[in-house]
Amino acid sequence: MAKRILLVTGDAGESYEALFALHRFQEAGYEPVVAAPSARRLHLVMHDFEPGWDTYIERQGYGLDANIAFDEVDVDGYVAVLLLGGRAPEFLRHIRRVVDIVREFVAQGKPVFSICHGIQILVAADVVDGKTVTCYEHVRSEAERAGACYSQQQAVRDGNLVSAQTWESHPEFYREVFACLEG
C-alpha cells in the first residue's frame, strides 16, 4: 500500500499547484488524497502575472475532485500534509477542523508542506512562531506577525516544515519536500 499524503484545498485553490502535487506524488509512489470542505468537484483557479498589473490576475482553472471532506480526515493515516495556495486558504483557515488537522500533523512530528497562500492556514494554526518560512510576498506580513522569520528563498525547510513562495517555486520546493519525506 502506498504512503498517503493529504492535499488540503477548496474552491479557488491554485490549479497548477494542485495538479502538479497530485501528479508529482503519484509519480514518486505516494497516494495523494485531496481533502476539501466536502467531497465533490472543486472549482480551481489560475493565478498569473501580467504587465501593467500591480498584483496577480485570476482566471478559471481546471477542476479537481476532492476525495474526502475535512471531517473524514484521520491524521494517523497520512505521512504528510500539503497546504495548497490560491485563494482557498483565506477561507479554509477559518474552518476549525482544518486548523485542528494541521496542529495534529505538527504534534505528531509529521511533515507539513505549504505553498504560496497556504501559509495563511499555518498562521491560523499558530505553528510558525520561531520558524523560518517563505510564502507569496503579499502574505509575508501575516507570517511575520505570527512570529515567523521570512526568507526570500523560493523554498525553505525548517525541520519538518517546508514552505514555498508560488508555483514558480516547484523545482526548489519539491526537492525539499522529498528530502523531508526521505528522512
Side-chain angles (χ1 to χ4, degrees), residues 119-155:
I119 199 80
Q120 292 176 306
I121 298 171
L122 293 177
V123 167
D126 294 319
V127 297
V128 296
D129 189 25
K131 295 286 190 178
T132 299
V133 301
T134 195
C135 54
Y136 181 58
E137 63 186 336
H138 294 293
V139 287
R140 169 186 181 169
S141 62
E142 292 180 47
E144 289 177 330
R145 281 195 310 275
C149 176
Y150 177 79
S151 170
Q152 293 186 355
Q153 293 178 256
Q154 288 296 311

Side-chain angles (χ1 to χ4, degrees), residues 4-182:
R4 296 189 314 161
I5 296 181
L6 189 67
L7 307 183
V8 171
T9 194
D11 286 331
E14 171 57 54
S15 64
Y16 184 57
E17 291 172 10
L19 292 172
F20 190 94
L22 185 76
H23 297 148
R24 184 64 188 93
F25 287 127
Q26 287 172 340
E27 175 188 38
Y30 290 86
E31 179 188 348
V33 176
V34 178
S38 61
R40 64 171 176 80
R41 186 82 170 163
L42 301 173
H43 305 278
L44 302 181
V45 298
M46 295 183 308
H47 289 150
D48 206 352
F49 303 93
E50 295 218 358
W53 284 70
D54 291 330
T55 187
Y56 56 83
I57 59 161
E58 182 175 283
R59 295 185 177 99
Q60 183 175 351
Y62 292 103
L64 178 67
D65 290 326
N67 306 107
I68 61 172
F70 296 131
D71 290 339
E72 299 173 70
V73 173
D74 176 4
V75 172
D76 292 335
Y78 299 89
V79 297
V81 63
L82 169 56
L83 308 172
L84 294 160
R87 277 187 305 111
E90 80 183 49
F91 70 90
L92 296 178
R93 65 184 165 170
H94 299 288
I95 299 173
R96 174 60 40 205
R97 181 63 188 136
V98 173
V99 170
D100 290 344
I101 288 167
V102 171
R103 288 179 177 158
E104 287 179 51
F105 273 95
V106 171
Q108 291 185 25
K110 293 182 176 183
V112 175
F113 311 131
S114 169
I115 188 165
C116 200
H117 285 75
I119 199 80
Q120 292 176 306
I121 298 171
L122 293 177
V123 167
D126 294 319
V127 297
V128 296
D129 189 25
K131 295 286 190 178
T132 299
V133 301
T134 195
C135 54
Y136 181 58
E137 63 186 336
H138 294 293
V139 287
R140 169 186 181 169
S141 62
E142 292 180 47
E144 289 177 330
R145 281 195 310 275
C149 176
Y150 177 79
S151 170
Q152 293 186 355
Q153 293 178 256
Q154 288 296 311
V156 174
R157 179 178 177 190
D158 187 335
N160 278 342
L161 175 62
V162 179
S163 56
Q165 292 187 5
T166 69
W167 53 260
E168 294 175 313
S169 310
H170 279 163
E172 296 88 350
F173 181 57
Y174 283 96
R175 275 195 287 278
E176 293 295 335
V177 163
F178 284 103
C180 187
L181 287 170
E182 293 164 5

